[in-house]
Amino acid sequence: MKKIYLMMLGIVCTFFPAQYSYATKVDNPIEETINKSDANIVGHIIDKKTQEHMPYVTVAVKNTTISTLTDLTGHYFLKNLPEGEFTIEISSVGYKTISQKVICKKGVTHELNFQVEEDIIALDAVVVSANRNETARRVAPTLVKVISTKLFETTNSQTLSQGLTFQPGVRVENDCQNCGFTQVRINGLDGKYTQILIDSRPIFSSLAGVYGLEHIPANMIERVEVVRGGGSALFGSSAIAGTVNIITKEPMRNSGSVAHSITNIDGSSSFDNNTSLNLSLVSDNNKMGAYIYGLNREKSAWDYNGDGFTESSKMKNQTVGMNAYYKTGTYSKISFEYHHIEEFRRGGSRLDLAPHIAVNPQLNGTGVDGVVEQTEHSINTGGVKFSIFSADQKNYFNAYAAAQDIKRDSYYGAYGKTSDLTSVIGAQYIRNIDKLIFMPASITAGLEYNRDALHDKGTDTERYRDKALQENPNATGDVLKALIAKYTPSPTDQIINISSAYLQSEWKNEKWSILLGGRLDKNSITKKAILSPRANLRYNPLENINIRLSYAEGFRAPQAFDEDLHISNIGGDLLRIERAKNLKEEKSHSINASVDMYHMIGIFQTNLLIEGFYTKLNDPFVLSAPVMDANGSGYLIQTRSNGSGAKVYGITAEANIAYKNTFQLQTGITIQRSRYDEAEEWSADNKLSDDERTTKDILRTPNLYGYFTASYSPSKVLSFSLNGNYTGRMYVPHLWSQVNGTADEMVKSPSFFELGAKVAYDFDLDAGLCIQLNAGVQNILNEFQKDFDKGATRDSGYMYGPGSPRCYFAGLKVSF
């Protein structure tokens, strides 16, 4: 591993120093002030069809930190530019990105005027998840799907989890009646197989993954990039199914907004209130900027079947954050991101009482057992990045550090405390070569170090003492201490260190893209370093037809993942997951092939995507059926072990059609199968035969699911939108033996179709002030699970389908 680090460091030192020293020289702010170049570019930007001047369009000098926005009249002015040949790039949401080369000379002012065309489907949107470098989505070596801020708005999605459902091959699953635990499934694989990134950094820890999809508010997101298929060669382990890269908002101009929405759950007395604030500040010289955001959310608990136990948990969430930058020179910039989240979440019964009282039949006023799941999170997440281009624009280097610190107080039948500190530091170097063997190429090399330190312990000494005295009422002294220790869960202390190095080369022109690379990871809990190779091919037989083929290997280390730290409740008993001895890493082989076609039909812009995928899992992690702990802790135990193997395969189709900014329809469907090579046990109920207790199907995975979104704007101030999600039938285990002693059952769930609608009207006032009123209905058809378990002995994990019934919402947004 050290040899690889030294080799890659040598590559950086060989190619970069000369260009870096030159860039540093010209970037000196004092020197720039003394030696004004008076090399300027002025011009205006208009809409090609309407011939109207366009305000707030970004005008950037590519591969530098120089940029500006057009003013309210659609004009721009770039002054005192460095001398040399540069590319001017014009970009705006909903329009095609265009560029033009220009030679800047001392004392010369150029006039460059541009006409831009609409691009509602975002062909030329810039993405970073395909190759860890900014690349136009059209020519990216890997298929990248983008969730924009517009989609969050039109679907009334307040959090990341709500917006993710409107993507092909992606499904957000609701897994717990008590606490509202959700996870994202990509191509049929559950949440542990998806790597969640924040600004391309893997700091979304295993603990954050339990409730993290709902922790991320939509108003901090610039876009979400989704890559389906193996991604370990780029971003490390847990990227077997794909990656979800959350790109946070950056400041663009002086502006802001305040919004509030209220949602009523099925005409009941339960409401979900969301208040958000956004403020963007940029200095006059565009050297500094800060984007500040905040969210306050309060959601009432909701009881669907009137049994006194919640189907939707009570939640309070506050988020504040900032994304800022400082341009240290023409070619270098420092970026900083920080956000803080406080969340309280509680589900079960008697929410007005303290947890330990609510579960006690002698104290809760009902005379029967209660159930409580409660968590309080305090999360601090931040990162800093320094990036620099060389003056000849052939070299790019960035160094970064990021961390996430989580403190959690919990009650899952007993009080507990958990802390988790995840950190990453790394550096990346990109060298652009005019010709490498046969084609222009970009070489990317990087080093990364991750550390995750988790501590989880039970703190409910009174509960463990009561359990001990139930076993031996006369116990005292050392005997009582021994019994208390017996019923006290062992604390979890897990420190994981991962050293990584990656190297790839991408040959690319307008017709071809060939990428070869790999990543080497040494995880402290694996015996040896693991190599994850990757190969990608893109071919454009015509300008608007992209054919892609990719192969990637990935792995997951045998550590605590996602819901391992979420404790379910079955039949009034707590369920905990433990790892089998000699549990080894899980490996994957993924193949993806796609055809992506774009075509103009008259004035309509269209896109059709067809993708096939196949993933083979070796030694996959499987969970045994829950059994009572033989050590007498009182917990049900599920054991994570290596299975015989599995495969997931299928096809995804997606279609887009757009007419100007007036109408857009996007729809996608996925057909797939998820199967183990040999039948795996899902139940330990001895009332069932061996065949009935096992299955080859990967559970909770429908063979058919899809979505659609549609928007119509007959004028600039009025818009209508529709959206829908379809979830096909799937197998879900129902553990009756733990609930009432009857035989466990494998239930085939019904299919669900969620339909939503929204209308919005803008009042454009003077001085750039806009007031928007909106209203709508989610899950109009009230498609919702009808057979929830009731009472304290319910199987809280027996949940499928939509997370909410029919809901009515209304909102107000003030933008300035």
Side-chain angles (χ1 to χ4, degrees), residues 255-434:
S255 61
S257 67
V258 179
H260 180 80
S261 70
I262 181 170
T263 301
N264 175 260
I265 303 176
D266 199 28
S268 68
S269 58
S270 297
F271 291 87
D272 187 352
N273 282 276
N274 288 266
T275 304
S276 63
L277 167 68
N278 302 280
L279 188 63
S280 177
L281 303 170
V282 178
S283 64
D284 291 339
N285 61 4
N286 206 29
K287 288 280 187 181
M288 296 182 292
Y291 179 81
I292 302 166
Y293 53 88
L295 175 74
N296 183 76
R297 182 185 186 189
E298 293 194 21
K299 182 173 77 73
S300 306
W302 179 68
D303 178 8
Y304 169 70
N305 50 25
D307 66 342
F309 293 78
T310 63
E311 270 67 57
S312 178
S313 59
K314 177 181 180 180
M315 186 187 304
K316 293 183 179 180
N317 182 299
Q318 294 85 36
T319 302
V320 293
M322 179 180 70
N323 201 340
Y325 68 80
Y326 175 70
K327 296 178 180 178
T328 56
T330 302
Y331 300 98
S332 57
K333 181 173 76 171
I334 295 176
S335 304
F336 172 77
E337 192 277 331
Y338 168 78
H339 65 269
H340 174 76
I341 298 172
E342 291 281 340
E343 190 206 55
F344 171 87
R345 178 187 298 249
R346 178 164 172 177
S349 59
R350 292 305 307 266
L351 305 189
D352 56 319
L353 301 176
H356 64 283
I357 294 177
V359 300
N360 191 320
Q362 297 175 347
L363 301 176
N364 61 22
T366 65
V368 296
D369 289 330
V371 168
V372 171
E373 291 189 25
Q374 176 176 302
T375 60
E376 294 181 69
H377 287 92
S378 179
I379 304 173
N380 290 284
T381 306
V384 62
K385 174 184 173 183
F386 173 74
S387 56
I388 183 169
F389 287 94
S390 63
D392 64 4
Q393 305 176 51
K394 292 184 180 295
N395 302 273
Y396 172 66
F397 174 80
N398 70 74
Y400 53 87
Q404 182 180 75
D405 180 61
I406 302 177
K407 298 290 189 294
R408 184 182 81 169
D409 292 326
S410 60
Y411 185 90
Y412 292 105
Y415 291 101
K417 283 185 176 293
T418 310
S419 63
D420 190 17
L421 177 60
T422 304
S423 57
V424 57
I425 58 172
Q428 178 175 291
Y429 168 68
I430 298 173
R431 169 71 174 176
N432 296 312
I433 302 173
D434 294 333

